[in-house]
Amino acid sequence: MSRTRIELPEDHEFEISGIAFGGQGICRYEDFVVFVKGAVPGDRIRLRITKKKKNFAEAVIREIIRPSENRVPAPCPHAGVCGGCTWQHVNYPSQLEYKRSMIADVFERIGEINNPVIPLPLSAGSVFHYRNKMEFTFNDRAWLTPEQIADPEFTAPDFTLGLHVPGRFDKVLPIQTCYLQSERANRALRAVADFTRSSGLPPYSATEQTGFWRFLVIREAAGTGELMLHIITYDPHPEIMDELKKFVLTKVEGITSLIHSVNSRKSQVAVGDESFCLYGSPVLKERLLDNLFHIDPHAFFQTNTAGADRLYRAIIELADFRGNEEVYDLYCGAGSIAISIAPHVRHVTGVELVPQAVANAVHNAELNGISNCAFIAGDIKNTLTQNAIRADAVILDPPRSGLHPEAVQLLSRYAPEKIIYVSCNPATQARDIQMLSGRYHIAAIQPVDMFPHTYHVENIAVLMRTRG
């Protein structure tokens, strides 16, 4: 039978045998691989194919005949729909094991490392209410449940505030409570939804590219308890924003910052071309590893403060600094890693593309009395090309896409003794480590779970320069 014409029997029972990078369950029909959304190893299911390729297919669960012993009820009614919590139906110890397995798989397949030894991820501690930042979208089109679609008396709302359903830029799932943020943050979400819905001003339509209300970003500092609400609209309208301020301050306790940004561009990103502080402080203050950080409304900061604390402590332990090292921190952002390791080394130079993040890093270093850090604004590969770095150790924390090939070549050329590679995408991390394998070998690996109920995981790899 031709592989391209293989037909899976409709009533065939499949046993889920593993988990793929990306969180989907894996099963097989003869030698044909099927990736099943929402399936857990140990499930026995019937499925429905949604996409078929030459060598594999994608599917959804049609019926669970026998659930896996690792399957648990998901507490959130939106689990599996909004895309934020893909694994709420998996018990937490199994989540850690699946993440370990996924890292081992990509290090073997992509990194070309035979039988890599990967420890279990360090536990996140709190598995709910751990996010310090959530971004919600206004829209005129709601994502509807099958029951709502089938109900002839149901009227679809034309004003929603919630989360984008994966793969749909034009529809938003209305959310009143998200289990990943605190209850105080959820009260703020509901208060903003109540006010904006009755404001008389329309939500921004992603399809029509018209409307007023665009985004709500909620940031809550775990270390200080501060709460920032950041509203992004299409144009200023100061009168309505003043009304919004008065309303939310009476409905939500402990708001320390209320920021309004204006974004009249077509691109759907929660940033503004100009920003106004309507109430309180223009920055959020957060504490991490005994350091105080000022976080600009548009600045990147680790979204799980307790998880970041575990991550940074693990970096310091695995790096085994002696105190006299010259360290480069590439993709340094607002300087949180550089500032955290500064007491353990002689000097740190941070490099970051975003000028505002570099300004934040300089300010944060001064704020904490850190005098052995310097920060450079620039593209990583250009900075490495223009500066013949003389580093004992380099810390890498790149975006999900990983390192630019030229950056890999330059690191191989400068050959610092030690590279500490921190990644939120073990697949691109494994690819980059494979390209560095001619000069470096892996001395240690430690995953850290920052995002319970998702397949995402941070991974630390310490690379040592190979002698000879």
Side-chain angles (χ1 to χ4, degrees), residues 69-101:
E69 62 181 12
N70 299 328
R71 180 180 283 275
V72 295
C76 177
H78 307 302
V81 179
C82 80
C85 291
T86 51
W87 276 358
Q88 270 196 28
H89 60 289
V90 180
N91 67 47
Y92 188 60
S94 296
Q95 291 183 30
L96 295 179
E97 174 54 38
Y98 297 159
K99 292 182 183 189
R100 186 208 65 78
S101 174

mmCIF file of all heavy atoms in Angstrom, residues 69-101:
data_model
loop_
_atom_site.group_PDB
_atom_site.id
_atom_site.type_symbol
_atom_site.label_atom_id
_atom_site.label_comp_id
_atom_site.label_asym_id
_atom_site.label_seq_id
_atom_site.Cartn_x
_atom_site.Cartn_y
_atom_site.Cartn_z
ATOM 1 N N GLU A 69 -3.386 6.884 33.386
ATOM 2 C CA GLU A 69 -3.331 7.103 34.836
ATOM 3 C C GLU A 69 -2.726 8.462 35.164
ATOM 4 O O GLU A 69 -2.811 8.928 36.304
ATOM 5 C CB GLU A 69 -2.525 5.993 35.502
ATOM 6 C CG GLU A 69 -1.079 5.919 35.072
ATOM 7 C CD GLU A 69 -0.304 4.798 35.727
ATOM 8 O OE1 GLU A 69 -0.942 3.930 36.357
ATOM 9 O OE2 GLU A 69 0.941 4.793 35.613
ATOM 10 N N ASN A 70 -2.101 9.106 34.178
ATOM 11 C CA ASN A 70 -1.513 10.436 34.388
ATOM 12 C C ASN A 70 -2.472 11.565 34.024
ATOM 13 O O ASN A 70 -2.110 12.740 34.113
ATOM 14 C CB ASN A 70 -0.232 10.578 33.564
ATOM 15 C CG ASN A 70 0.815 9.563 33.972
ATOM 16 O OD1 ASN A 70 0.895 9.173 35.129
ATOM 17 N ND2 ASN A 70 1.616 9.108 33.016
ATOM 18 N N ARG A 71 -3.668 11.214 33.593
ATOM 19 C CA ARG A 71 -4.668 12.217 33.206
ATOM 20 C C ARG A 71 -5.470 12.641 34.432
ATOM 21 O O ARG A 71 -5.887 11.805 35.239
ATOM 22 C CB ARG A 71 -5.577 11.651 32.120
ATOM 23 C CG ARG A 71 -6.659 12.594 31.631
ATOM 24 C CD ARG A 71 -7.514 11.955 30.550
ATOM 25 N NE ARG A 71 -6.830 11.949 29.265
ATOM 26 C CZ ARG A 71 -6.826 12.960 28.413
ATOM 27 N NH1 ARG A 71 -7.489 14.084 28.717
ATOM 28 N NH2 ARG A 71 -6.202 12.870 27.254
ATOM 29 N N VAL A 72 -5.700 13.961 34.576
ATOM 30 C CA VAL A 72 -6.487 14.509 35.686
ATOM 31 C C VAL A 72 -7.501 15.503 35.128
ATOM 32 O O VAL A 72 -7.338 16.005 34.011
ATOM 33 C CB VAL A 72 -5.583 15.216 36.729
ATOM 34 C CG1 VAL A 72 -4.648 14.233 37.400
ATOM 35 C CG2 VAL A 72 -4.793 16.364 36.080
ATOM 36 N N PRO A 73 -8.576 15.802 35.882
ATOM 37 C CA PRO A 73 -9.528 16.809 35.411
ATOM 38 C C PRO A 73 -8.875 18.196 35.364
ATOM 39 O O PRO A 73 -8.151 18.589 36.287
ATOM 40 C CB PRO A 73 -10.644 16.764 36.465
ATOM 41 C CG PRO A 73 -10.462 15.469 37.178
ATOM 42 C CD PRO A 73 -8.999 15.173 37.150
ATOM 43 N N ALA A 74 -9.138 18.932 34.305
ATOM 44 C CA ALA A 74 -8.618 20.306 34.186
ATOM 45 C C ALA A 74 -9.562 21.254 34.918
ATOM 46 O O ALA A 74 -10.759 21.282 34.627
ATOM 47 C CB ALA A 74 -8.502 20.701 32.720
ATOM 48 N N PRO A 75 -9.063 22.041 35.877
ATOM 49 C CA PRO A 75 -9.959 22.920 36.646
ATOM 50 C C PRO A 75 -10.515 24.094 35.853
ATOM 51 O O PRO A 75 -11.589 24.588 36.163
ATOM 52 C CB PRO A 75 -9.071 23.407 37.794
ATOM 53 C CG PRO A 75 -7.675 23.242 37.309
ATOM 54 C CD PRO A 75 -7.691 22.064 36.386
ATOM 55 N N CYS A 76 -9.799 24.548 34.828
ATOM 56 C CA CYS A 76 -10.233 25.733 34.083
ATOM 57 C C CYS A 76 -11.147 25.328 32.928
ATOM 58 O O CYS A 76 -10.801 24.439 32.141
ATOM 59 C CB CYS A 76 -9.023 26.484 33.543
ATOM 60 S SG CYS A 76 -9.458 27.937 32.536
ATOM 61 N N PRO A 77 -12.300 25.982 32.778
ATOM 62 C CA PRO A 77 -13.210 25.639 31.675
ATOM 63 C C PRO A 77 -12.643 25.974 30.303
ATOM 64 O O PRO A 77 -13.130 25.466 29.298
ATOM 65 C CB PRO A 77 -14.462 26.468 31.976
ATOM 66 C CG PRO A 77 -13.982 27.617 32.815
ATOM 67 C CD PRO A 77 -12.860 27.051 33.640
ATOM 68 N N HIS A 78 -11.620 26.832 30.253
ATOM 69 C CA HIS A 78 -11.034 27.223 28.965
ATOM 70 C C HIS A 78 -9.848 26.353 28.572
ATOM 71 O O HIS A 78 -9.282 26.544 27.491
ATOM 72 C CB HIS A 78 -10.584 28.682 29.010
ATOM 73 C CG HIS A 78 -11.650 29.636 29.449
ATOM 74 N ND1 HIS A 78 -12.845 29.747 28.789
ATOM 75 C CD2 HIS A 78 -11.690 30.521 30.482
ATOM 76 C CE1 HIS A 78 -13.594 30.665 29.404
ATOM 77 N NE2 HIS A 78 -12.911 31.140 30.416
ATOM 78 N N ALA A 79 -9.448 25.420 29.452
ATOM 79 C CA ALA A 79 -8.272 24.597 29.169
ATOM 80 C C ALA A 79 -8.469 23.839 27.866
ATOM 81 O O ALA A 79 -9.526 23.260 27.616
ATOM 82 C CB ALA A 79 -8.038 23.621 30.315
ATOM 83 N N GLY A 80 -7.427 23.866 27.042
ATOM 84 C CA GLY A 80 -7.500 23.189 25.754
ATOM 85 C C GLY A 80 -8.083 24.029 24.641
ATOM 86 O O GLY A 80 -8.070 23.624 23.482
ATOM 87 N N VAL A 81 -8.612 25.205 24.983
ATOM 88 C CA VAL A 81 -9.204 26.078 23.966
ATOM 89 C C VAL A 81 -8.364 27.333 23.773
ATOM 90 O O VAL A 81 -7.979 27.671 22.656
ATOM 91 C CB VAL A 81 -10.660 26.467 24.336
ATOM 92 C CG1 VAL A 81 -11.252 27.391 23.267
ATOM 93 C CG2 VAL A 81 -11.513 25.224 24.504
ATOM 94 N N CYS A 82 -8.058 28.038 24.877
ATOM 95 C CA CYS A 82 -7.380 29.331 24.748
ATOM 96 C C CYS A 82 -5.927 29.192 24.319
ATOM 97 O O CYS A 82 -5.335 30.149 23.827
ATOM 98 C CB CYS A 82 -7.475 30.121 26.053
ATOM 99 S SG CYS A 82 -6.287 29.620 27.312
ATOM 100 N N GLY A 83 -5.325 28.021 24.552
ATOM 101 C CA GLY A 83 -3.938 27.834 24.141
ATOM 102 C C GLY A 83 -2.930 28.145 25.227
ATOM 103 O O GLY A 83 -1.745 27.864 25.073
ATOM 104 N N GLY A 84 -3.386 28.729 26.336
ATOM 105 C CA GLY A 84 -2.451 29.074 27.396
ATOM 106 C C GLY A 84 -2.024 27.879 28.225
ATOM 107 O O GLY A 84 -0.865 27.737 28.585
ATOM 108 N N CYS A 85 -2.957 26.987 28.542
ATOM 109 C CA CYS A 85 -2.675 25.802 29.367
ATOM 110 C C CYS A 85 -2.976 24.559 28.557
ATOM 111 O O CYS A 85 -4.116 24.089 28.554
ATOM 112 C CB CYS A 85 -3.529 25.809 30.630
ATOM 113 S SG CYS A 85 -3.108 27.095 31.805
ATOM 114 N N THR A 86 -2.003 24.026 27.891
ATOM 115 C CA THR A 86 -2.224 22.851 27.054
ATOM 116 C C THR A 86 -2.174 21.551 27.852
ATOM 117 O O THR A 86 -2.579 20.505 27.350
ATOM 118 C CB THR A 86 -1.166 22.793 25.941
ATOM 119 O OG1 THR A 86 0.134 22.931 26.539
ATOM 120 C CG2 THR A 86 -1.375 23.910 24.934
ATOM 121 N N TRP A 87 -1.677 21.606 29.108
ATOM 122 C CA TRP A 87 -1.486 20.379 29.889
ATOM 123 C C TRP A 87 -2.183 20.403 31.241
ATOM 124 O O TRP A 87 -1.767 19.705 32.161
ATOM 125 C CB TRP A 87 0.011 20.136 30.113
ATOM 126 C CG TRP A 87 0.697 19.447 28.981
ATOM 127 C CD1 TRP A 87 0.151 19.000 27.819
ATOM 128 C CD2 TRP A 87 2.080 19.106 28.916
ATOM 129 N NE1 TRP A 87 1.093 18.423 27.020
ATOM 130 C CE2 TRP A 87 2.304 18.474 27.667
ATOM 131 C CE3 TRP A 87 3.154 19.281 29.772
ATOM 132 C CZ2 TRP A 87 3.550 18.015 27.255
ATOM 133 C CZ3 TRP A 87 4.396 18.833 29.377
ATOM 134 C CH2 TRP A 87 4.596 18.196 28.135
ATOM 135 N N GLN A 88 -3.254 21.167 31.404
ATOM 136 C CA GLN A 88 -3.947 21.133 32.693
ATOM 137 C C GLN A 88 -4.520 19.751 32.989
ATOM 138 O O GLN A 88 -4.787 19.423 34.145
ATOM 139 C CB GLN A 88 -5.084 22.166 32.720
ATOM 140 C CG GLN A 88 -4.653 23.519 33.215
ATOM 141 C CD GLN A 88 -5.828 24.390 33.601
ATOM 142 O OE1 GLN A 88 -6.884 23.904 33.986
ATOM 143 N NE2 GLN A 88 -5.654 25.700 33.487
ATOM 144 N N HIS A 89 -4.711 18.936 31.951
ATOM 145 C CA HIS A 89 -5.274 17.602 32.132
ATOM 146 C C HIS A 89 -4.208 16.552 32.439
ATOM 147 O O HIS A 89 -4.505 15.358 32.478
ATOM 148 C CB HIS A 89 -6.028 17.193 30.855
ATOM 149 C CG HIS A 89 -5.162 17.152 29.633
ATOM 150 N ND1 HIS A 89 -4.670 18.292 29.045
ATOM 151 C CD2 HIS A 89 -4.670 16.120 28.903
ATOM 152 C CE1 HIS A 89 -3.930 17.967 27.997
ATOM 153 N NE2 HIS A 89 -3.914 16.643 27.897
ATOM 154 N N VAL A 90 -2.963 16.997 32.690
ATOM 155 C CA VAL A 90 -1.855 16.089 33.004
ATOM 156 C C VAL A 90 -1.377 16.366 34.425
ATOM 157 O O VAL A 90 -1.169 17.524 34.801
ATOM 158 C CB VAL A 90 -0.682 16.282 32.015
ATOM 159 C CG1 VAL A 90 0.462 15.333 32.343
ATOM 160 C CG2 VAL A 90 -1.150 16.103 30.576
ATOM 161 N N ASN A 91 -1.194 15.316 35.234
ATOM 162 C CA ASN A 91 -0.717 15.569 36.596
ATOM 163 C C ASN A 91 0.695 16.144 36.557
ATOM 164 O O ASN A 91 1.471 15.877 35.632
ATOM 165 C CB ASN A 91 -0.816 14.312 37.476
ATOM 166 C CG ASN A 91 0.120 13.198 37.059
ATOM 167 O OD1 ASN A 91 1.310 13.409 36.808
ATOM 168 N ND2 ASN A 91 -0.398 11.981 36.973
ATOM 169 N N TYR A 92 1.041 16.925 37.577
ATOM 170 C CA TYR A 92 2.263 17.720 37.497
ATOM 171 C C TYR A 92 3.538 16.878 37.458
ATOM 172 O O TYR A 92 4.448 17.182 36.668
ATOM 173 C CB TYR A 92 2.331 18.742 38.636
ATOM 174 C CG TYR A 92 3.486 19.694 38.467
ATOM 175 C CD1 TYR A 92 3.577 20.508 37.335
ATOM 176 C CD2 TYR A 92 4.516 19.758 39.398
ATOM 177 C CE1 TYR A 92 4.646 21.373 37.145
ATOM 178 C CE2 TYR A 92 5.583 20.611 39.224
ATOM 179 C CZ TYR A 92 5.651 21.419 38.089
ATOM 180 O OH TYR A 92 6.711 22.257 37.907
ATOM 181 N N PRO A 93 3.683 15.804 38.259
ATOM 182 C CA PRO A 93 4.908 15.002 38.130
ATOM 183 C C PRO A 93 5.113 14.468 36.709
ATOM 184 O O PRO A 93 6.251 14.406 36.227
ATOM 185 C CB PRO A 93 4.684 13.856 39.132
ATOM 186 C CG PRO A 93 3.766 14.442 40.154
ATOM 187 C CD PRO A 93 2.846 15.346 39.382
ATOM 188 N N SER A 94 4.011 14.111 36.037
ATOM 189 C CA SER A 94 4.138 13.628 34.657
ATOM 190 C C SER A 94 4.537 14.763 33.716
ATOM 191 O O SER A 94 5.285 14.535 32.758
ATOM 192 C CB SER A 94 2.821 12.999 34.193
ATOM 193 O OG SER A 94 2.517 11.850 34.953
ATOM 194 N N GLN A 95 4.062 15.984 33.968
ATOM 195 C CA GLN A 95 4.484 17.116 33.145
ATOM 196 C C GLN A 95 6.007 17.262 33.174
ATOM 197 O O GLN A 95 6.643 17.473 32.131
ATOM 198 C CB GLN A 95 3.825 18.411 33.646
ATOM 199 C CG GLN A 95 2.334 18.491 33.427
ATOM 200 C CD GLN A 95 1.759 19.832 33.874
ATOM 201 O OE1 GLN A 95 2.443 20.852 33.820
ATOM 202 N NE2 GLN A 95 0.509 19.822 34.315
ATOM 203 N N LEU A 96 6.586 17.153 34.369
ATOM 204 C CA LEU A 96 8.046 17.281 34.482
ATOM 205 C C LEU A 96 8.755 16.168 33.714
ATOM 206 O O LEU A 96 9.751 16.408 33.032
ATOM 207 C CB LEU A 96 8.461 17.255 35.951
ATOM 208 C CG LEU A 96 7.969 18.424 36.823
ATOM 209 C CD1 LEU A 96 8.435 18.243 38.263
ATOM 210 C CD2 LEU A 96 8.440 19.764 36.279
ATOM 211 N N GLU A 97 8.233 14.948 33.806
ATOM 212 C CA GLU A 97 8.846 13.826 33.098
ATOM 213 C C GLU A 97 8.733 14.004 31.592
ATOM 214 O O GLU A 97 9.677 13.736 30.844
ATOM 215 C CB GLU A 97 8.203 12.510 33.525
ATOM 216 C CG GLU A 97 8.687 11.297 32.742
ATOM 217 C CD GLU A 97 10.199 11.132 32.749
ATOM 218 O OE1 GLU A 97 10.832 11.402 33.791
ATOM 219 O OE2 GLU A 97 10.759 10.721 31.704
ATOM 220 N N TYR A 98 7.578 14.490 31.111
ATOM 221 C CA TYR A 98 7.405 14.699 29.670
ATOM 222 C C TYR A 98 8.352 15.780 29.163
ATOM 223 O O TYR A 98 8.899 15.681 28.058
ATOM 224 C CB TYR A 98 5.958 15.083 29.353
ATOM 225 C CG TYR A 98 4.934 14.005 29.685
ATOM 226 C CD1 TYR A 98 3.598 14.333 29.874
ATOM 227 C CD2 TYR A 98 5.308 12.670 29.824
ATOM 228 C CE1 TYR A 98 2.653 13.363 30.189
ATOM 229 C CE2 TYR A 98 4.375 11.695 30.133
ATOM 230 C CZ TYR A 98 3.046 12.042 30.322
ATOM 231 O OH TYR A 98 2.121 11.085 30.636
ATOM 232 N N LYS A 99 8.558 16.822 29.961
ATOM 233 C CA LYS A 99 9.479 17.877 29.546
ATOM 234 C C LYS A 99 10.909 17.334 29.483
ATOM 235 O O LYS A 99 11.664 17.661 28.554
ATOM 236 C CB LYS A 99 9.374 19.076 30.492
ATOM 237 C CG LYS A 99 8.033 19.795 30.379
ATOM 238 C CD LYS A 99 7.913 21.018 31.279
ATOM 239 C CE LYS A 99 6.515 21.614 31.157
ATOM 240 N NZ LYS A 99 6.368 22.915 31.820
ATOM 241 N N ARG A 100 11.290 16.530 30.470
ATOM 242 C CA ARG A 100 12.608 15.906 30.424
ATOM 243 C C ARG A 100 12.749 15.058 29.163
ATOM 244 O O ARG A 100 13.773 15.106 28.464
ATOM 245 C CB ARG A 100 12.795 15.034 31.670
ATOM 246 C CG ARG A 100 14.204 14.441 31.791
ATOM 247 C CD ARG A 100 14.207 13.134 32.549
ATOM 248 N NE ARG A 100 13.463 12.112 31.823
ATOM 249 C CZ ARG A 100 13.938 11.454 30.777
ATOM 250 N NH1 ARG A 100 15.152 11.689 30.306
ATOM 251 N NH2 ARG A 100 13.187 10.547 30.166
ATOM 252 N N SER A 101 11.713 14.290 28.853
ATOM 253 C CA SER A 101 11.737 13.419 27.681
ATOM 254 C C SER A 101 11.848 14.211 26.384
ATOM 255 O O SER A 101 12.586 13.820 25.468
ATOM 256 C CB SER A 101 10.471 12.555 27.667
ATOM 257 O OG SER A 101 10.381 11.798 26.493
#
